[in-house]
Amino acid sequence: MRNAHLIHLLLGIGALALVGCEGEPPIDSYTAKKILVLGNSTEPQGLDPQIVTGVIESNIIRALFEGLCVEHPSKQGVHLPGVAETWQANDDFTEWTFHLRRDGKWSDGTPLTTEDFLFSYQRILHPDFGADYASMLYYIQGAEAYNKGEATDFSTVGVSAPDAYTLKISLKASIPFLPDLTKHYTWYPVPKHIILKHGAMEQRNTPWTEPENLVSNGAFVLKEWRLNDYIYAEKNPYYWDKHTVKLKGIRFLPISNQYTEARMFFNQQLHATYGLAPEMIEYAAGKYNEYLRQETYLGTNFIRFNVTDPALKDLRVRQALALSIDSQAIITHILKGGQKPAYGMVPPTEDYRTPQAVTFDPDRAKQLLEEAGYTGNKKLRVTLLSTDREVSKRLSEAYQDMWKKHLGVEVSIEQREWKTYLSRMSGLDYQLALGGWIGDYPDPTTFLDMWKTGDGNNRTGWSNQDYELLLAKAEQTKDPNQRLRILEQAEALFLSEMPIIPVYWYTTNYLLHTAVKGWHPLLLNNHPYKFVDLELLQN
Amino acid sequence: MSKETQQQPISKGHSLWSDAWLRLKKNKMAMASLVVLIIVGVLCFIVPAFSIIADPNTQDLNNTFLSPNSSNWLGTDQSGRDLLARLLYGGQISLLVGIVATTVSVIIGLVYGAIAGYAGGKTDSLMMRIVDILYGLPFLVLVILFSLLISEHAKELTDNLVTRWPEQEVFIKKFVNLVPLFIAIGALGWLTMARVARAQVLTLKKQEFVEAAVSLGLSHRRILLRHIMPNMLGPIIVYATLTVPGFVLTEATLSFLGLGVESPNSSWGILLSEGANYMETYPRLLVIPSITFCMTLLALNFLGDGLRDALDPKAAKD
Amino acid sequence: MLRTVISRLLQGIIVVFCLLLVTFMLVRLMPGDPFSGEKAHAAHIIEKNKERFHLDKSNSEQFVVYLGLLARGNLGDSPVKEQPVSKIIRHSFPASLILGIAGISIAILIGIPAGILSALRKNSYIDYSTMVVAMAGISIPSFVVAPLLAGHVATRIPFLKVAGWGDPFDWVLPALTLGLATAAYLARITRGGMLEVLNQDYIRTAHAKGVRPAVVVTKHAIRGGIIPAVAYIGPAFAMLITGSFIIETIFQVPGMGQHFVNATKDRDYFLLQGVVILFGVLIVFANLVADIVLAMLNPRIRA
């Protein structure tokens, strides 16, 4: 039995090793080679920037591709040049001009020009391509109509290129934060010459993202992709700013079990984890504090109401349920990650003052419920749709307990696995449901647009014309401050009707090895790898 | 000759059962296991009926992860629930799943195998071929698929029942939701029982009392029910005792995958999979359920082996 | 012999077909579809995607289309992962194969000798302790053993990592976890088989004739005694390769076991069908090999 001998041999070596050396931490050899090793949750759906939709994919795509602008490594709201060297906008922020750098190249040496951008935007908006995230470009004039097949000529869409290095974008609204949008992968350029080599523009699932075919313009190129094993990206020799890039490569590991990931980090196998389970946060805060990172993350966790349900039609009922959630207790005892209790939908910033709609006020809640007619023996019974993911179970059990304790409401938890949960929520087949939303870009509209009538992410049945009028008005408002005030009004209107209960604003908790430099807290957690470095620590 | 038999009056006969019981009694491991199982049974099914055990579902977010103390003899879990209560009530559910699923598989397998064995010939061949084919199916995948499918309907049924009898909500939710597990696990695990039953029937068929029954003109059904099946009780008991732990383990695996018992109810599977998460931080939450789980399964396995040794004279000691 | 092999292979095709049919239908009966994601998508885009994967057709039509794909040697594409199913399987099969071989080797090397020893020293201290350990192996779920090994053993022995599949040392703990449970089963089965054989008349005859006990055991008893164990190894091997989901998750092994579970949860129809077909084929071959070995061991079984 060959394998028996192999195993005996290995065990023998292992025994010798026990007697012999200590073995250096595996991660140190990667640090010395300047290869960053990151935990990245699960296997990515793909690497085509115009097909994928998730954070996991964006972490990898960000290494391979670069947009018109690049995120500053530590300062929020500063736009560094990327593919574009300079850019200007008109006073309305509706007409933008980007000047591409002339030394921009793809990783096979081909020059990167506006032709690639026109191709890319047409591709993601092409009605036959079926891009799930095409709506990220709907701010461009005519984009939505083209995407929905109402317009068939791409020249009606507001992108044009007077020459190979000048890109003009016409927007249908005042968008002062367009540079932030260009940092999102849906706005990245893709190599026209490579994609067309493997199929038509609107053809999906072509092998152009295979390691041997993929050509990109970012700081790194795709070197290896073993499914469910690892993805390795290596420094791009054709990158315009390659002298800034200190890393030699990045390894992305799809570690789906959070505890395995934490164990691997403590066993010195990773530079950074993707996340951290709540009890691990406590544990790390005690013993491994120098590795623990707790940073604000742009997102909101909330509970959806199906406002079309008869039991929930009364606003007072919804308010009662909202006011009896003790977010702080949940954060302190369940989440343990420094999250913030949410009193509105949009996380507040310096400029945007989120309306204060929800607090923990059990007495007022009780009063409201009684006013709604639930007194004496009449009890409210509702169902809460939940999933089996992560802390969802514990959250739903905590809510159930709180509603019972403070309001005497009987809540039954309908725990469904992920796909069933999604399809029932989309079909409005629920009464209350757990939910959450991570922002795509740092502007309140990423949290407000989803509540428009018929938006696929609404899933509550809520609809209000005045709300949409306010959003439209904000779109057309040129003064940034004025615009934010109008958005605040819109949010206030939204919250006053309580189609959701905001519970907490996210933080991201993860472990970061002290050897990693140039990695700073960012609201969208979109660290530009070109500024990251690894330093072997002196023991 | 043991002292016992010497003192027995000669006229008293020894039935198969008392013989078996005597053999079993001599098997120390089996007897110890029996005691353990009785204790576990009492703790999980009888003790909770008296209100000395706390409610396993009441949370107390201010008192999470408490060490054992006077009000929580085993401490509390991650949501402040009493661990002892979750252990005992969880045991109810896990053992129930094991027992009911086993019963389902015994019934299906017994009927199927007995018919195959009794019928013989082409029918038998065909029926066992089907079993062979089914044996090749990946158990876990099918259990997952089945239970997901049945769950949807079970949940609708639960909702309807709760609307009709709201006071019984806790009871309904707890047990009706287990039905998909009973069915899925039992419906996929009957194959070995079928083989065992068939083998037994084939042996019994050749015995004289069956030939006698046939020549008397008794109907096949009567022969099967009245004469053959009662003689199969031994192997059935052994099989059942050895299957229960396997199914309890299946429930645990399903709970680990998030497909087993639902919140806020607990089962040993849920306690184990949640406890594994706290291995580094609060090991007590893993150690205590693990020991209980293993001890019970070990006891079931040893008892089953002991029963097999006791009921099968050829495998006896001397 | 050849005739049996061929007939078994033909039966095997039927087995795989039934397996495929059952899985195909069951997974499409479940609520949800491959395309629901956290961020919802416009209706027209979902329609496009459904068309691409023929999900807008009736189930029987889809089955026919799929059979057509198979006939051309194509396993289709995964709607969830946007990769050809054959590529996903190709990348995950090596790890599963290694894990399976290592696991079954450990199981055989530990389980069968333990079972033989227990049978020979029946009811002794060795017998009891071996059986207790064996039972314990069956009674502890792998999702408890695996983290324990990872957390407490890997951290204390250099060259062993808590997770990962980089060098051969990484094979040890996963294979051990996987193999020990099967070893426990094999030990019990071998013990049972050996006991049956040892009680047979021909063994007593050999003893009576004065044949040395060691010779009796090796020449006569083991050949017959391990038959039940060999019968179990076939399907056990196939199950090891495909049922290692928990090991893969905890030890970060890029194997196939995770595809079984995740494809079901994600409603990744084509990936699930692909791995189920592979599983069916493996089981058919494993059983065939086991039966051939059995026939060699026991001339009376030859069909």
Side-chain angles (χ1 to χ4, degrees), chain A residues 259 263 279 283 333 393-394 397 412 414-416 420, chain B residues 59 61-62 78 81 155 159 173 263 274 277-278 280:
Chain A
Y259 301 93
R263 236 172 262 133
E279 321 71 45
Y283 177 70
H333 297 291
K393 231 175 79 147
R394 295 175 60 189
E397 289 169 5
S412 53
E414 293 183 327
Q415 192 179 299
R416 298 288 187 272
T420 316
Chain B
Q59 295 188 18
L61 291 183
N62 291 316
Q78 68 273 14
R81 295 174 290 211
K155 278 158 188 180
D159 294 341
K173 296 217 87 187
S263 343
E274 287 177 357
N277 292 339
Y278 305 115
E280 282 96 352

PDB file of all heavy atoms in Angstrom, chain A residues 259 263 279 283 333 393-394 397 412 414-416 420, chain B residues 59 61-62 78 81 155 159 173 263 274 277-278 280:
ATOM      1  N   TYR A 259     -14.885  30.724  12.207  1.00  0.00           N
ATOM      2  CA  TYR A 259     -14.047  30.239  13.300  1.00  0.00           C
ATOM      3  C   TYR A 259     -12.762  29.640  12.750  1.00  0.00           C
ATOM      4  O   TYR A 259     -11.694  29.799  13.337  1.00  0.00           O
ATOM      5  CB  TYR A 259     -14.836  29.240  14.161  1.00  0.00           C
ATOM      6  CG  TYR A 259     -16.066  29.891  14.734  1.00  0.00           C
ATOM      7  CD1 TYR A 259     -17.287  29.811  14.078  1.00  0.00           C
ATOM      8  CD2 TYR A 259     -15.993  30.638  15.909  1.00  0.00           C
ATOM      9  CE1 TYR A 259     -18.397  30.463  14.580  1.00  0.00           C
ATOM     10  CE2 TYR A 259     -17.100  31.276  16.408  1.00  0.00           C
ATOM     11  CZ  TYR A 259     -18.301  31.193  15.740  1.00  0.00           C
ATOM     12  OH  TYR A 259     -19.406  31.833  16.232  1.00  0.00           O
ATOM     13  N   ARG A 263      -9.089  30.954  13.639  1.00  0.00           N
ATOM     14  CA  ARG A 263      -8.057  30.004  14.065  1.00  0.00           C
ATOM     15  C   ARG A 263      -6.827  30.122  13.163  1.00  0.00           C
ATOM     16  O   ARG A 263      -5.687  30.071  13.632  1.00  0.00           O
ATOM     17  CB  ARG A 263      -8.615  28.578  13.968  1.00  0.00           C
ATOM     18  CG  ARG A 263      -8.533  27.821  15.261  1.00  0.00           C
ATOM     19  CD  ARG A 263      -9.255  26.509  15.160  1.00  0.00           C
ATOM     20  NE  ARG A 263     -10.589  26.591  15.706  1.00  0.00           N
ATOM     21  CZ  ARG A 263     -11.682  26.134  15.109  1.00  0.00           C
ATOM     22  NH1 ARG A 263     -11.604  25.568  13.944  1.00  0.00           N
ATOM     23  NH2 ARG A 263     -12.846  26.241  15.695  1.00  0.00           N
ATOM     24  N   GLU A 279     -18.169  36.463  19.632  1.00  0.00           N
ATOM     25  CA  GLU A 279     -17.413  36.010  20.806  1.00  0.00           C
ATOM     26  C   GLU A 279     -15.924  36.132  20.555  1.00  0.00           C
ATOM     27  O   GLU A 279     -15.144  36.331  21.479  1.00  0.00           O
ATOM     28  CB  GLU A 279     -17.686  34.533  21.124  1.00  0.00           C
ATOM     29  CG  GLU A 279     -19.107  34.083  20.945  1.00  0.00           C
ATOM     30  CD  GLU A 279     -19.510  34.016  19.479  1.00  0.00           C
ATOM     31  OE1 GLU A 279     -18.720  33.487  18.686  1.00  0.00           O
ATOM     32  OE2 GLU A 279     -20.607  34.508  19.179  1.00  0.00           O
ATOM     33  N   TYR A 283     -12.853  37.865  22.713  1.00  0.00           N
ATOM     34  CA  TYR A 283     -11.652  37.080  22.958  1.00  0.00           C
ATOM     35  C   TYR A 283     -10.434  37.831  22.453  1.00  0.00           C
ATOM     36  O   TYR A 283      -9.433  37.968  23.149  1.00  0.00           O
ATOM     37  CB  TYR A 283     -11.821  35.742  22.225  1.00  0.00           C
ATOM     38  CG  TYR A 283     -10.664  34.797  22.296  1.00  0.00           C
ATOM     39  CD1 TYR A 283     -10.331  34.165  23.493  1.00  0.00           C
ATOM     40  CD2 TYR A 283      -9.931  34.495  21.160  1.00  0.00           C
ATOM     41  CE1 TYR A 283      -9.289  33.256  23.534  1.00  0.00           C
ATOM     42  CE2 TYR A 283      -8.897  33.592  21.208  1.00  0.00           C
ATOM     43  CZ  TYR A 283      -8.573  32.973  22.395  1.00  0.00           C
ATOM     44  OH  TYR A 283      -7.547  32.089  22.430  1.00  0.00           O
ATOM     45  N   HIS A 333     -24.583  42.828  24.114  1.00  0.00           N
ATOM     46  CA  HIS A 333     -24.583  41.426  24.531  1.00  0.00           C
ATOM     47  C   HIS A 333     -24.504  40.426  23.396  1.00  0.00           C
ATOM     48  O   HIS A 333     -24.101  39.301  23.605  1.00  0.00           O
ATOM     49  CB  HIS A 333     -25.843  41.139  25.351  1.00  0.00           C
ATOM     50  CG  HIS A 333     -25.895  41.946  26.611  1.00  0.00           C
ATOM     51  ND1 HIS A 333     -25.043  41.746  27.656  1.00  0.00           N
ATOM     52  CD2 HIS A 333     -26.681  42.978  26.977  1.00  0.00           C
ATOM     53  CE1 HIS A 333     -25.315  42.605  28.619  1.00  0.00           C
ATOM     54  NE2 HIS A 333     -26.301  43.363  28.234  1.00  0.00           N
ATOM     55  N   LYS A 393     -29.873  34.285  13.748  1.00  0.00           N
ATOM     56  CA  LYS A 393     -30.637  33.487  14.688  1.00  0.00           C
ATOM     57  C   LYS A 393     -30.735  34.197  16.039  1.00  0.00           C
ATOM     58  O   LYS A 393     -31.811  34.335  16.603  1.00  0.00           O
ATOM     59  CB  LYS A 393     -29.931  32.142  14.883  1.00  0.00           C
ATOM     60  CG  LYS A 393     -30.825  30.944  14.700  1.00  0.00           C
ATOM     61  CD  LYS A 393     -30.059  29.654  14.776  1.00  0.00           C
ATOM     62  CE  LYS A 393     -29.765  29.287  16.212  1.00  0.00           C
ATOM     63  NZ  LYS A 393     -29.760  27.848  16.445  1.00  0.00           N
ATOM     64  N   ARG A 394     -29.597  34.639  16.517  1.00  0.00           N
ATOM     65  CA  ARG A 394     -29.607  35.252  17.834  1.00  0.00           C
ATOM     66  C   ARG A 394     -30.334  36.584  17.835  1.00  0.00           C
ATOM     67  O   ARG A 394     -30.995  36.945  18.799  1.00  0.00           O
ATOM     68  CB  ARG A 394     -28.167  35.410  18.323  1.00  0.00           C
ATOM     69  CG  ARG A 394     -27.520  34.045  18.536  1.00  0.00           C
ATOM     70  CD  ARG A 394     -26.071  34.152  18.889  1.00  0.00           C
ATOM     71  NE  ARG A 394     -25.896  34.915  20.112  1.00  0.00           N
ATOM     72  CZ  ARG A 394     -24.713  35.301  20.565  1.00  0.00           C
ATOM     73  NH1 ARG A 394     -23.634  35.007  19.901  1.00  0.00           N
ATOM     74  NH2 ARG A 394     -24.623  35.985  21.674  1.00  0.00           N
ATOM     75  N   GLU A 397     -34.087  35.864  17.852  1.00  0.00           N
ATOM     76  CA  GLU A 397     -34.535  35.396  19.164  1.00  0.00           C
ATOM     77  C   GLU A 397     -34.579  36.557  20.151  1.00  0.00           C
ATOM     78  O   GLU A 397     -35.475  36.640  21.004  1.00  0.00           O
ATOM     79  CB  GLU A 397     -33.617  34.292  19.674  1.00  0.00           C
ATOM     80  CG  GLU A 397     -33.783  32.985  18.905  1.00  0.00           C
ATOM     81  CD  GLU A 397     -32.713  31.969  19.228  1.00  0.00           C
ATOM     82  OE1 GLU A 397     -31.886  32.235  20.116  1.00  0.00           O
ATOM     83  OE2 GLU A 397     -32.705  30.910  18.581  1.00  0.00           O
ATOM     84  N   SER A 412     -43.652  34.619  16.266  1.00  0.00           N
ATOM     85  CA  SER A 412     -43.067  33.332  15.935  1.00  0.00           C
ATOM     86  C   SER A 412     -42.033  33.531  14.844  1.00  0.00           C
ATOM     87  O   SER A 412     -42.263  34.253  13.878  1.00  0.00           O
ATOM     88  CB  SER A 412     -44.130  32.327  15.535  1.00  0.00           C
ATOM     89  OG  SER A 412     -44.937  32.834  14.544  1.00  0.00           O
ATOM     90  N   GLU A 414     -39.861  32.503  11.811  1.00  0.00           N
ATOM     91  CA  GLU A 414     -39.846  31.581  10.683  1.00  0.00           C
ATOM     92  C   GLU A 414     -38.429  31.586  10.125  1.00  0.00           C
ATOM     93  O   GLU A 414     -38.062  32.476   9.367  1.00  0.00           O
ATOM     94  CB  GLU A 414     -40.839  32.023   9.617  1.00  0.00           C
ATOM     95  CG  GLU A 414     -42.263  31.902  10.101  1.00  0.00           C
ATOM     96  CD  GLU A 414     -43.255  32.276   9.033  1.00  0.00           C
ATOM     97  OE1 GLU A 414     -42.952  33.167   8.215  1.00  0.00           O
ATOM     98  OE2 GLU A 414     -44.336  31.684   9.031  1.00  0.00           O
ATOM     99  N   GLN A 415     -37.701  30.603  10.548  1.00  0.00           N
ATOM    100  CA  GLN A 415     -36.312  30.574  10.119  1.00  0.00           C
ATOM    101  C   GLN A 415     -36.208  29.757   8.846  1.00  0.00           C
ATOM    102  O   GLN A 415     -36.492  28.579   8.836  1.00  0.00           O
ATOM    103  CB  GLN A 415     -35.464  29.943  11.198  1.00  0.00           C
ATOM    104  CG  GLN A 415     -33.989  30.131  10.971  1.00  0.00           C
ATOM    105  CD  GLN A 415     -33.214  29.503  12.084  1.00  0.00           C
ATOM    106  OE1 GLN A 415     -33.357  29.889  13.241  1.00  0.00           O
ATOM    107  NE2 GLN A 415     -32.427  28.515  11.760  1.00  0.00           N
ATOM    108  N   ARG A 416     -35.810  30.423   7.777  1.00  0.00           N
ATOM    109  CA  ARG A 416     -35.698  29.722   6.516  1.00  0.00           C
ATOM    110  C   ARG A 416     -34.258  29.832   6.039  1.00  0.00           C
ATOM    111  O   ARG A 416     -33.558  30.769   6.367  1.00  0.00           O
ATOM    112  CB  ARG A 416     -36.605  30.365   5.450  1.00  0.00           C
ATOM    113  CG  ARG A 416     -38.062  30.324   5.798  1.00  0.00           C
ATOM    114  CD  ARG A 416     -38.603  28.911   5.671  1.00  0.00           C
ATOM    115  NE  ARG A 416     -40.028  28.885   5.850  1.00  0.00           N
ATOM    116  CZ  ARG A 416     -40.631  28.765   7.023  1.00  0.00           C
ATOM    117  NH1 ARG A 416     -39.911  28.679   8.110  1.00  0.00           N
ATOM    118  NH2 ARG A 416     -41.945  28.744   7.108  1.00  0.00           N
ATOM    119  N   THR A 420     -34.695  30.537   0.338  1.00  0.00           N
ATOM    120  CA  THR A 420     -36.134  30.619   0.602  1.00  0.00           C
ATOM    121  C   THR A 420     -36.455  31.964   1.231  1.00  0.00           C
ATOM    122  O   THR A 420     -37.454  32.607   0.893  1.00  0.00           O
ATOM    123  CB  THR A 420     -36.572  29.488   1.553  1.00  0.00           C
ATOM    124  OG1 THR A 420     -35.955  28.289   1.139  1.00  0.00           O
ATOM    125  CG2 THR A 420     -38.067  29.345   1.565  1.00  0.00           C
TER     126      THR A 420
ATOM    127  N   GLN B  59     -34.537  34.162  27.279  1.00  0.00           N
ATOM    128  CA  GLN B  59     -33.234  34.782  27.173  1.00  0.00           C
ATOM    129  C   GLN B  59     -33.033  35.804  28.271  1.00  0.00           C
ATOM    130  O   GLN B  59     -33.968  36.354  28.801  1.00  0.00           O
ATOM    131  CB  GLN B  59     -33.128  35.528  25.852  1.00  0.00           C
ATOM    132  CG  GLN B  59     -33.178  34.644  24.671  1.00  0.00           C
ATOM    133  CD  GLN B  59     -32.883  35.422  23.437  1.00  0.00           C
ATOM    134  OE1 GLN B  59     -32.331  36.506  23.493  1.00  0.00           O
ATOM    135  NE2 GLN B  59     -33.256  34.872  22.316  1.00  0.00           N
ATOM    136  N   LEU B  61     -30.232  38.741  28.181  1.00  0.00           N
ATOM    137  CA  LEU B  61     -29.015  39.251  27.560  1.00  0.00           C
ATOM    138  C   LEU B  61     -28.043  39.847  28.564  1.00  0.00           C
ATOM    139  O   LEU B  61     -26.892  40.087  28.232  1.00  0.00           O
ATOM    140  CB  LEU B  61     -29.360  40.305  26.495  1.00  0.00           C
ATOM    141  CG  LEU B  61     -30.048  39.709  25.264  1.00  0.00           C
ATOM    142  CD1 LEU B  61     -30.284  40.780  24.225  1.00  0.00           C
ATOM    143  CD2 LEU B  61     -29.214  38.592  24.676  1.00  0.00           C
ATOM    144  N   ASN B  62     -28.499  40.097  29.779  1.00  0.00           N
ATOM    145  CA  ASN B  62     -27.567  40.639  30.763  1.00  0.00           C
ATOM    146  C   ASN B  62     -26.776  39.552  31.464  1.00  0.00           C
ATOM    147  O   ASN B  62     -25.861  39.828  32.212  1.00  0.00           O
ATOM    148  CB  ASN B  62     -28.337  41.447  31.811  1.00  0.00           C
ATOM    149  CG  ASN B  62     -28.907  42.713  31.212  1.00  0.00           C
ATOM    150  OD1 ASN B  62     -28.233  43.399  30.469  1.00  0.00           O
ATOM    151  ND2 ASN B  62     -30.172  42.988  31.504  1.00  0.00           N
ATOM    152  N   GLN B  78     -25.012  31.596  25.239  1.00  0.00           N
ATOM    153  CA  GLN B  78     -24.680  32.892  24.636  1.00  0.00           C
ATOM    154  C   GLN B  78     -25.834  33.868  24.659  1.00  0.00           C
ATOM    155  O   GLN B  78     -25.643  35.053  24.411  1.00  0.00           O
ATOM    156  CB  GLN B  78     -24.197  32.698  23.187  1.00  0.00           C
ATOM    157  CG  GLN B  78     -25.257  32.225  22.231  1.00  0.00           C
ATOM    158  CD  GLN B  78     -25.379  30.717  22.223  1.00  0.00           C
ATOM    159  OE1 GLN B  78     -24.860  30.047  23.114  1.00  0.00           O
ATOM    160  NE2 GLN B  78     -26.045  30.186  21.219  1.00  0.00           N
ATOM    161  N   ARG B  81     -29.559  31.784  28.251  1.00  0.00           N
ATOM    162  CA  ARG B  81     -30.506  30.713  28.557  1.00  0.00           C
ATOM    163  C   ARG B  81     -29.837  29.663  29.426  1.00  0.00           C
ATOM    164  O   ARG B  81     -28.655  29.407  29.295  1.00  0.00           O
ATOM    165  CB  ARG B  81     -31.007  30.081  27.252  1.00  0.00           C
ATOM    166  CG  ARG B  81     -31.811  31.064  26.431  1.00  0.00           C
ATOM    167  CD  ARG B  81     -32.183  30.496  25.100  1.00  0.00           C
ATOM    168  NE  ARG B  81     -31.011  30.365  24.247  1.00  0.00           N
ATOM    169  CZ  ARG B  81     -31.042  30.467  22.928  1.00  0.00           C
ATOM    170  NH1 ARG B  81     -32.183  30.705  22.334  1.00  0.00           N
ATOM    171  NH2 ARG B  81     -29.956  30.312  22.225  1.00  0.00           N
ATOM    172  N   LYS B 155     -44.309  23.725   7.669  1.00  0.00           N
ATOM    173  CA  LYS B 155     -44.430  25.039   8.260  1.00  0.00           C
ATOM    174  C   LYS B 155     -45.790  25.651   8.007  1.00  0.00           C
ATOM    175  O   LYS B 155     -46.354  26.299   8.878  1.00  0.00           O
ATOM    176  CB  LYS B 155     -43.311  25.942   7.752  1.00  0.00           C
ATOM    177  CG  LYS B 155     -42.056  25.649   8.566  1.00  0.00           C
ATOM    178  CD  LYS B 155     -40.753  26.024   7.925  1.00  0.00           C
ATOM    179  CE  LYS B 155     -39.620  25.463   8.802  1.00  0.00           C
ATOM    180  NZ  LYS B 155     -38.295  25.692   8.413  1.00  0.00           N
ATOM    181  N   ASP B 159     -48.382  26.711  10.893  1.00  0.00           N
ATOM    182  CA  ASP B 159     -49.062  28.002  10.966  1.00  0.00           C
ATOM    183  C   ASP B 159     -50.559  27.822  11.080  1.00  0.00           C
ATOM    184  O   ASP B 159     -51.220  28.499  11.872  1.00  0.00           O
ATOM    185  CB  ASP B 159     -48.732  28.833   9.716  1.00  0.00           C
ATOM    186  CG  ASP B 159     -47.267  29.210   9.680  1.00  0.00           C
ATOM    187  OD1 ASP B 159     -46.620  29.152  10.746  1.00  0.00           O
ATOM    188  OD2 ASP B 159     -46.767  29.556   8.595  1.00  0.00           O
ATOM    189  N   LYS B 173     -45.286  24.162  17.641  1.00  0.00           N
ATOM    190  CA  LYS B 173     -44.102  24.566  16.907  1.00  0.00           C
ATOM    191  C   LYS B 173     -42.961  23.601  17.165  1.00  0.00           C
ATOM    192  O   LYS B 173     -42.201  23.265  16.279  1.00  0.00           O
ATOM    193  CB  LYS B 173     -43.657  25.958  17.353  1.00  0.00           C
ATOM    194  CG  LYS B 173     -44.670  26.998  17.038  1.00  0.00           C
ATOM    195  CD  LYS B 173     -44.014  28.280  16.624  1.00  0.00           C
ATOM    196  CE  LYS B 173     -43.751  28.235  15.130  1.00  0.00           C
ATOM    197  NZ  LYS B 173     -42.972  29.384  14.718  1.00  0.00           N
ATOM    198  N   SER B 263     -35.001  27.539  15.677  1.00  0.00           N
ATOM    199  CA  SER B 263     -35.017  28.369  16.890  1.00  0.00           C
ATOM    200  C   SER B 263     -36.445  28.624  17.282  1.00  0.00           C
ATOM    201  O   SER B 263     -37.295  28.672  16.441  1.00  0.00           O
ATOM    202  CB  SER B 263     -34.438  29.744  16.697  1.00  0.00           C
ATOM    203  OG  SER B 263     -33.707  29.877  15.626  1.00  0.00           O
ATOM    204  N   GLU B 274     -23.380  24.900  18.080  1.00  0.00           N
ATOM    205  CA  GLU B 274     -23.133  26.220  18.658  1.00  0.00           C
ATOM    206  C   GLU B 274     -21.948  26.163  19.611  1.00  0.00           C
ATOM    207  O   GLU B 274     -21.096  27.043  19.610  1.00  0.00           O
ATOM    208  CB  GLU B 274     -24.369  26.717  19.417  1.00  0.00           C
ATOM    209  CG  GLU B 274     -25.501  27.140  18.503  1.00  0.00           C
ATOM    210  CD  GLU B 274     -26.736  27.564  19.283  1.00  0.00           C
ATOM    211  OE1 GLU B 274     -26.723  27.467  20.538  1.00  0.00           O
ATOM    212  OE2 GLU B 274     -27.705  27.977  18.639  1.00  0.00           O
ATOM    213  N   ASN B 277     -18.499  26.545  18.304  1.00  0.00           N
ATOM    214  CA  ASN B 277     -18.058  27.914  18.029  1.00  0.00           C
ATOM    215  C   ASN B 277     -17.370  28.548  19.220  1.00  0.00           C
ATOM    216  O   ASN B 277     -16.568  29.452  19.078  1.00  0.00           O
ATOM    217  CB  ASN B 277     -19.253  28.794  17.659  1.00  0.00           C
ATOM    218  CG  ASN B 277     -19.837  28.401  16.327  1.00  0.00           C
ATOM    219  OD1 ASN B 277     -19.177  27.772  15.521  1.00  0.00           O
ATOM    220  ND2 ASN B 277     -21.083  28.757  16.095  1.00  0.00           N
ATOM    221  N   TYR B 278     -17.744  28.101  20.410  1.00  0.00           N
ATOM    222  CA  TYR B 278     -17.188  28.741  21.609  1.00  0.00           C
ATOM    223  C   TYR B 278     -16.064  27.928  22.212  1.00  0.00           C
ATOM    224  O   TYR B 278     -15.732  28.059  23.388  1.00  0.00           O
ATOM    225  CB  TYR B 278     -18.302  28.954  22.643  1.00  0.00           C
ATOM    226  CG  TYR B 278     -19.455  29.741  22.070  1.00  0.00           C
ATOM    227  CD1 TYR B 278     -20.706  29.172  21.923  1.00  0.00           C
ATOM    228  CD2 TYR B 278     -19.270  31.050  21.641  1.00  0.00           C
ATOM    229  CE1 TYR B 278     -21.753  29.887  21.366  1.00  0.00           C
ATOM    230  CE2 TYR B 278     -20.314  31.766  21.084  1.00  0.00           C
ATOM    231  CZ  TYR B 278     -21.554  31.175  20.954  1.00  0.00           C
ATOM    232  OH  TYR B 278     -22.585  31.880  20.396  1.00  0.00           O
ATOM    233  N   GLU B 280     -12.876  27.977  21.997  1.00  0.00           N
ATOM    234  CA  GLU B 280     -11.760  28.698  22.597  1.00  0.00           C
ATOM    235  C   GLU B 280     -12.203  29.609  23.714  1.00  0.00           C
ATOM    236  O   GLU B 280     -11.448  29.901  24.621  1.00  0.00           O
ATOM    237  CB  GLU B 280     -11.054  29.565  21.533  1.00  0.00           C
ATOM    238  CG  GLU B 280     -10.132  28.795  20.626  1.00  0.00           C
ATOM    239  CD  GLU B 280     -10.826  28.425  19.336  1.00  0.00           C
ATOM    240  OE1 GLU B 280     -12.027  28.645  19.248  1.00  0.00           O
ATOM    241  OE2 GLU B 280     -10.152  27.934  18.424  1.00  0.00           O
TER     242      GLU B 280
END
